[in-house]
Amino acid sequence: MTTAMEDPLELFYFQHDEQTICGQPVSPITESFDVNYPSVVDRFFTRYYYFKGEVPYQVLYHSNRICLICLAPDHPALGQGISSVTFDVGNVDRSQNVVKGKAKRGGMILQAESTLALLTSESGETYKIPSCIRGKLVEVNTAVVEDPKLLEQLPEGAGYFAILLPKIENCDAIKASLLTQEQYEERLKTKKEAGDT
Amino acid sequence: MKNQELVDFLRSCGVCEVCQLRYLKARGSEYKDIKETLRKLNVKLNENEENGGSIPQCEDQPAKKPRLSVCSTCLGLFSEDFQQELLAGILNSDFAKYDCQKIVLAISLPMTLQLRQLSMWYALQRTFGTTVDGTNPPDVPVKEAVKLILHPIICEKLGKEYDANGLMISIDLRHHLEEDGVEKLVKLNKEAFPAKAAHQKRIEISRGLLEKQYQPSKVKAETFEKYFQIPCTSAEEPLKLQTIELQGPLTCVAGRYRKLSREISHTPWVLNGKRVMEDSIEEIIIRSIGPHFTEKPEKIIFMSSGREDVDVRCLGKGRPFVLEIPNSIRSSLSREQAHQMEQAVDKSGKVSIVDLQVVAREELSHIKTGEEQKRKFYRALCVLKEPVTVEILEKLQIPDSFDIQQKTPIRVLHRRPLHTRPRTIYSVKARVQRQNPKALIVDIVTQAGTYIKELVHGEFGRTTPSLSSITGKAIDIQALDVVGIDLDWPPEVDNSLDSK
């Protein structure tokens, strides 16, 4: 007879194996649990922002200087719905980028205003996705071509356009040319206030 | 040519008894009792040679005061005097501080020695004609005779065994006629082997060159005689013992380490000249073990069968490691000493070592070869955004192996090439923490070289499949432990056992 108290998870409860090392019992891995543990993005990346005209983009800057280029949360295309993405930007197809070795030789050298990709929204508008920083193109995320909705659905960072590797000597200048989270929020507030009046 | 005739000729040139045997092509143990061997070869002993080591004057030399002259072909290398000098020199050095029972000798000989053998070769051809071959030397080479005669004597007197992996005793011998000899050789070489074209590289004079190119069949006696006497002049001075250098053997110490701390790196971590992490596994281990074996712990090389990240513990039996200790003073380790070292490391509370033992150099291959085939056992603390369900848990019970494709993780992409690597995951088993339904404890067995953290959360889709894609839920990893390494080496040793 099943009772209301029967626990469906009973078979799956964790049992810690006892062990002694350095003369002390080893603590179970569960002791490392942290309710406030930062997300993968927040652990390693700093969020920066770049405006192409009035359209905002997000640069996730890794502690090792690698950058992921994404749509900022307030990008208009997110409200309109994303229809398609292509890396063929006219005179060059970014998805043909090939890199070799540790130094990523052969990667396309991009400037902040170089076009990475073209995005078409459901309302018919086309956005030129800028590179946002000066650096070498390492990889484009072809998954968003096959499934553009990735850019809307996945937690931010998972929907990224490309991975760029800037030169070490340019890093300080690059960070100075981008907006911090604070500055981004300030600018949005100002825009909103200007729009309200 | 009879043995007696040959020996008479050699004696007339001031050649010692040992070298006489060399020209008689004596082998191995025949050098132990020289007089007996000569007798067996039907050679009459010279009365002058009864008083140890005295050599008759060379015939074409002006009469001198009788004294111990130097053999013209070995320059005293095989004389008893030299052996005494060598032994004294070795005993006077730091020899006593090395505990190794094995030695290896490296004696560097000046080129005049080879030139003298060459002179004698031409002289023998002149005297005995075609019975003396022009391509193969008529004597047992000096290098070989050194191994046959000197090595056993020195090993015996020092009470050590001869072994290539032992304490290396490097003996540098010089001779006052060397510079002159080399000068003449350079000139001879230009004449005997002129450069055929202007752009032809200048050949360097070396012992190897002498061995290969200089034979009566390749260089005419007349040409040789322009620079060197045939037979060689008698020497006034013997070989000089310039220096003796000792280099301890390479000792390898193996063991397994466990890592309790999530804040210690594998090897010293330095960024822009500053230490990022205070200590490292390498330093803790070398600190406790190194000083017993060497005066220069900074030269020790630390190798392990794989490694884990700073924030990952290593539990269970532990990860095999080896210390390669060059120029070691001690080459052995007692159980008691090993146990003391293990306890000293335990005191750190961060690292623990077991199975500490000295191993043969040949065993190092266990650590490095076959890395790709090894299996690694992990336990990961994973976290969901919502409480777990039976469905999710069932999806994470995967007893059969499956393959994944991993792109180089972004966290190492700045220093590694972009590459997609296939890896095999052998099994996955998930449990949930009581009272904490968002916390999953997942045991994973993978092929070596798999990035576990990325296997869990899928890193923006760059690792497929991932635990995240398999369950269709966002899963993050908060902590990771290595719980086993599939390598049965080094042998398990309980150093705490009483040896009685």
Side-chain angles (χ1 to χ4, degrees):
Chain A
M1 293 306 238
T2 57
T3 69
M5 299 298 282
E6 201 173 80
D7 189 347
L9 300 176
E10 187 56 48
L11 291 172
F12 296 100
Y13 283 123
F14 169 64
Q15 192 85 13
H16 170 61
D17 313 312
E18 309 267 314
Q19 195 181 21
T20 303
I21 295 180
C22 288
Q24 326 150 17
V26 174
S27 60
I29 196 173
T30 42
E31 290 208 359
S32 297
F33 181 79
D34 179 1
V35 152
N36 298 314
Y37 202 72
S39 67
V40 177
V41 170
D42 288 315
R43 283 208 287 279
F44 298 112
F45 296 91
T46 310
R47 295 162 207 263
Y48 286 100
Y49 297 87
Y50 178 87
F51 275 86
K52 184 177 166 75
E54 290 303 309
V55 183
Y57 294 90
Q58 186 174 79
V59 176
L60 294 180
Y61 190 102
H62 195 283
S63 50
N64 68 15
R65 88 179 188 275
I66 289 209
C67 293
L68 261 60
I69 312 302
C70 322
L71 296 174
D74 298 277
H75 194 285
L78 289 170
Q80 296 158 10
I82 298 177
S83 172
S84 69
V85 176
T86 173
F87 287 101
D88 185 344
V89 300
N91 54 341
V92 66
D93 186 348
R94 300 289 181 209
S95 64
Q96 299 305 305
N97 192 59
V98 172
V99 293
K100 280 208 162 91
K102 285 186 208 175
K104 321 296 182 293
R105 254 176 284 272
M108 297 178 197
I109 310 255
L110 302 175
Q111 308 301 320
E113 277 297 307
S114 311
T115 306
L116 265 181
L118 297 173
L119 183 154
T120 312
S121 71
E122 271 164 16
S123 61
E125 281 194 57
T126 307
Y127 297 92
K128 285 188 184 165
I129 314 296
S131 173
C132 303
I133 67 156
R134 185 177 153 206
K136 208 179 262 195
L137 179 63
V138 177
E139 183 184 278
V140 299
N141 185 12
T142 46
V144 300
V145 173
E146 283 138 50
D147 187 3
K149 298 293 176 189
L150 278 175
L151 290 161
E152 293 170 28
Q153 285 161 14
L154 287 179
E156 53 177 352
Y160 68 99
F161 288 99
I163 298 180
L164 265 67
L165 179 68
K167 282 193 185 165
I168 299 182
E169 52 265 30
N170 295 336
C171 287
D172 287 341
I174 286 171
K175 282 190 248 188
S177 72
L178 300 169
L179 274 72
T180 61
Q181 181 76 33
E182 243 181 57
Q183 292 167 328
Y184 173 65
E185 283 169 8
E186 257 310 306
R187 179 152 165 182
L188 286 184
K189 214 165 76 166
T190 328
K191 229 167 87 166
K192 192 161 183 287
E193 281 163 9
D196 284 345
T197 54
Chain B
M1 170 184 68
K2 290 215 193 95
N3 289 346
Q4 184 67 56
E5 291 173 349
L6 174 61
V7 171
D8 286 339
F9 177 73
L10 292 173
R11 278 187 192 143
S12 71
C13 296
V15 171
C16 73
E17 277 190 330
V18 175
C19 289
Q20 289 167 25
L21 283 188
R22 284 199 303 115
Y23 281 92
L24 287 168
K25 292 277 193 180
R27 295 272 166 224
S29 53
E30 294 174 325
Y31 290 94
K32 288 227 169 104
D33 189 343
I34 297 179
K35 313 231 182 281
E36 183 57 36
T37 309
L38 285 174
R39 211 167 285 140
K40 279 201 186 140
L41 292 170
N42 297 318
V43 174
K44 279 191 230 130
L45 296 169
N46 194 330
E47 306 78 53
N48 287 4
E49 282 158 355
E50 290 311 309
N51 50 343
S54 153
I55 295 158
Q57 299 295 325
C58 210
E59 276 181 7
D60 42 354
Q61 288 270 30
K64 279 193 192 161
K65 259 195 306 187
R67 64 179 185 88
L68 247 52
S69 17
V70 178
C71 169
S72 55
T73 46
C74 76
L75 295 175
L77 182 62
F78 299 113
S79 68
E80 271 186 34
D81 282 351
F82 179 75
Q83 285 167 25
Q84 310 282 18
E85 203 189 324
L86 196 52
L87 280 166
I90 295 176
L91 291 170
N92 261 343
S93 69
D94 286 331
F95 180 72
K97 78 175 180 193
Y98 294 87
D99 83 340
C100 188
Q101 287 311 299
K102 308 195 170 127
I103 58 169
V104 55
L105 295 167
I107 304 184
S108 82
L109 302 165
M111 279 195 266
T112 50
L113 215 52
Q114 257 172 299
L115 290 169
R116 284 169 172 270
Q117 314 310 311
L118 210 45
S119 269
M120 183 54 74
W121 195 351
Y122 285 114
L124 287 172
Q125 271 208 325
R126 230 173 234 180
T127 315
F128 296 103
T130 49
T131 56
V132 179
D133 186 64
T135 317
N136 299 308
D139 60 329
V140 171
V142 172
K143 275 200 281 192
E144 213 183 294
V146 165
K147 286 193 195 144
L148 290 174
I149 304 170
L150 285 182
H151 288 189
I153 292 179
I154 295 188
C155 288
E156 196 195 306
K157 292 275 161 76
L158 294 175
K160 304 278 187 190
E161 249 177 70
Y162 193 87
D163 186 302
N165 288 329
L167 166 67
M168 180 175 294
I169 304 177
S170 297
I171 299 156
D172 189 18
L173 300 177
R174 306 277 172 94
H175 194 258
H176 70 106
L177 292 175
E178 175 75 354
E179 211 183 302
D180 183 62
V182 172
E183 234 182 80
K184 291 194 181 135
L185 182 56
V186 170
K187 292 187 191 146
L188 168 60
N189 200 49
K190 272 206 193 114
E191 193 182 316
F193 302 103
K196 298 218 175 77
H199 63 265
Q200 205 167 35
K201 248 202 302 191
R202 198 156 47 104
I203 304 167
E204 241 196 72
I205 304 291
S206 70
R207 292 177 187 87
L209 180 76
L210 267 182
E211 251 174 82
K212 270 197 220 156
Q213 298 282 59
Y214 283 81
Q215 306 150 0
S217 60
K218 289 193 181 164
V219 178
K220 291 208 200 103
E222 296 78 47
T223 320
F224 187 79
E225 209 163 17
K226 284 191 196 161
Y227 304 90
F228 299 100
Q229 245 190 301
I230 298 176
C232 41
T233 53
S234 68
E236 287 173 12
E237 305 264 334
L239 286 172
K240 192 172 96 159
L241 179 57
Q242 181 83 358
T243 52
I244 295 184
E245 269 173 25
L246 300 176
Q247 194 186 25
L250 182 77
T251 300
C252 297
V253 181
R256 285 188 174 78
Y257 74 79
R258 281 90 62 87
K259 177 180 191 266
L260 281 186
S261 164
R262 293 194 190 278
E263 287 164 6
I264 180 171
S265 55
H266 192 254
T267 48
W269 188 1
V270 179
L271 200 62
N272 300 328
K274 271 199 293 187
R275 289 295 300 248
V276 179
M277 286 271 143
E278 238 180 60
D279 215 345
S280 64
I281 296 180
E282 176 182 305
E283 287 166 296
I284 291 182
I285 292 181
I286 291 181
R287 200 176 294 148
S288 308
I289 300 178
H292 167 89
F293 289 97
T294 175
E295 290 163 349
K296 295 204 176 145
E298 62 274 11
K299 298 279 185 193
I300 299 179
I301 298 176
F302 174 71
M303 290 192 281
S304 62
S305 172
R307 57 199 287 165
E308 58 281 311
D309 284 345
V310 171
D311 56 350
V312 174
R313 291 190 300 186
C314 184
L315 310 172
K317 279 204 213 157
R319 188 182 294 277
F321 71 88
V322 170
L323 291 182
E324 241 191 23
I325 307 168
N327 201 358
S328 57
I329 297 179
R330 293 203 192 91
S331 43
S332 60
L333 186 65
S334 72
R335 278 255 171 97
E336 207 186 293
Q337 289 165 328
H339 187 51
Q340 275 169 10
M341 290 174 185
E342 288 172 1
Q343 288 185 310
V345 172
D346 266 4
K347 288 211 179 76
S348 70
K350 299 179 189 174
V351 179
S352 162
I353 53 179
V354 286
D355 303 334
L356 201 58
Q357 58 198 275
V358 169
V359 295
R361 186 195 218 147
E362 294 74 53
E363 304 221 18
L364 289 197
S365 54
H366 282 113
I367 282 268
K368 287 304 176 187
T369 56
E371 259 309 301
E372 297 276 296
Q373 281 78 53
K374 304 223 175 76
R375 292 185 182 213
K376 305 287 164 100
F377 299 77
Y378 298 94
R379 174 164 286 175
L381 176 63
C382 302
V383 166
L384 297 162
K385 286 202 151 62
E386 304 121 9
V388 73
T389 64
V390 173
E391 203 189 322
I392 295 173
L393 284 165
E394 280 174 349
K395 287 206 175 119
L396 292 176
Q397 308 308 317
I398 313 174
D400 304 312
S401 56
F402 61 97
D403 289 339
I404 61 169
Q405 298 289 331
Q406 286 199 299
K407 283 192 186 162
T408 310
I410 292 173
R411 60 189 168 98
V412 297
L413 190 53
H414 64 297
R415 57 183 166 86
R416 300 248 177 96
L418 176 65
H419 194 214
T420 304
R421 313 135 101 230
R423 283 286 176 265
T424 305
I425 310 303
Y426 295 105
S427 68
V428 177
K429 185 165 110 163
R431 295 280 174 268
V432 61
Q433 188 184 7
R434 238 178 244 276
Q435 319 292 322
N436 193 354
K438 290 186 191 167
L440 298 182
I441 297 89
V442 189
D443 287 340
I444 313 174
V445 183
T446 74
Q447 182 185 0
T450 308
Y451 289 96
I452 304 298
K453 296 172 184 174
E454 281 71 16
L455 169 63
V456 171
H457 56 63
E459 203 201 25
F460 315 147
R462 299 175 78 252
T463 290
T464 49
S466 64
L467 298 191
S468 189
S469 68
I470 290 172
T471 55
K473 303 283 177 197
I475 303 186
D476 199 2
I477 176 171
Q478 286 199 8
L480 184 63
D481 288 341
V482 173
V483 296
I485 290 162
D486 149 37
L487 176 56
D488 272 331
W489 183 88
E492 286 179 41
V493 159
D494 189 345
N495 288 314
S496 66
L497 287 177
D498 233 3
S499 43
K500 297 203 182 108

